Amino acid sequence: DGTWFVGAIADVQGAVSESDESDNVLVALQTLEITTEPLADLVVSHVSFAPAALDAGDAFEVTDHVENHGDGDAGAFQVGIYLSLDPVITKGDVAIGVRSVPELQSGGLSLLSASLTVPAATAAGLWYVGAIADIGGAEPETDEFNNWSAAIGTLQVYKPPRPDLVMNSLEFSPSVVDAGQSISVTEETL
């Protein structure tokens, strides 16, 4: 914001040898007034989850709070929920949920608690749970680097025992039929 002068410099690189180098600068007589709209600043202020341990493929409850610390209102944006192997939550982590926020006024709070599922293919171990506000970058903000947060503590993910189905035998008869005739099939699965 403020009053600005607009000027120009000829031969700014000094590539042309001139008889008078002192007349290459000119500033316009009028000034330019610049004002900016107040911007939002979306901050994930809280992330929590329960229970603290579960099997891959199970659901758990995740709560997130997003606040607008900026002077301007935020339009529609999305909040992503992620699993991460480290406490720094990024869009490259495992996305497990997305919620939409239609708008958030300056000083406002948006919160949601939802049941989300840990993907069945998730590796066993300790995982961080976190959220990122404005995952699509839809809102211009005063600070674009404070949009994420991780919950305190880690989520213990276990790999539950999975069945292993094995076809043990397969027989059919007769071995020659006309089209449209039935065959008898016997199979054994372990």
Side-chain angles (χ1 to χ4, degrees), residues 3-141:
T3 303
W4 294 82
F5 292 93
V6 178
I9 301 173
D11 191 26
V12 71
Q13 301 285 331
V16 177
S17 181
E18 301 177 54
S19 61
D20 184 359
E21 295 282 350
S22 67
D23 60 356
N24 290 11
V25 176
L26 184 63
V27 176
L29 295 176
Q30 75 269 29
T31 57
L32 176 65
E33 291 293 325
I34 296 179
T35 58
T36 57
E37 293 290 323
L39 296 177
D41 184 19
L42 302 174
V43 176
V44 176
S45 59
H46 173 81
V47 180
S48 62
F49 61 91
L54 50 74
D55 288 337
D58 286 351
F60 69 127
E61 195 75 15
V62 177
T63 300
D64 75 88
H65 298 182
V66 176
E67 297 178 15
N68 182 353
H69 291 185
D71 293 330
D73 296 342
F77 63 93
Q78 292 184 315
V79 178
I81 309 297
Y82 295 86
L83 295 178
S84 177
L85 291 172
D86 59 55
V88 178
I89 308 301
T90 70
K91 290 185 257 183
D93 290 324
V94 179
I96 59 170
V98 174
R99 72 176 179 98
S100 295
V101 179
E103 63 183 23
L104 189 58
Q105 294 179 343
S106 175
L109 168 69
S110 172
L111 57 101
L112 182 71
S113 188
S115 180
L116 300 174
T117 300
V118 173
T122 303
L126 295 175
W127 289 84
Y128 292 88
V129 179
I132 301 174
D134 194 23
I135 58 174
E139 277 303 306
E141 300 180 57

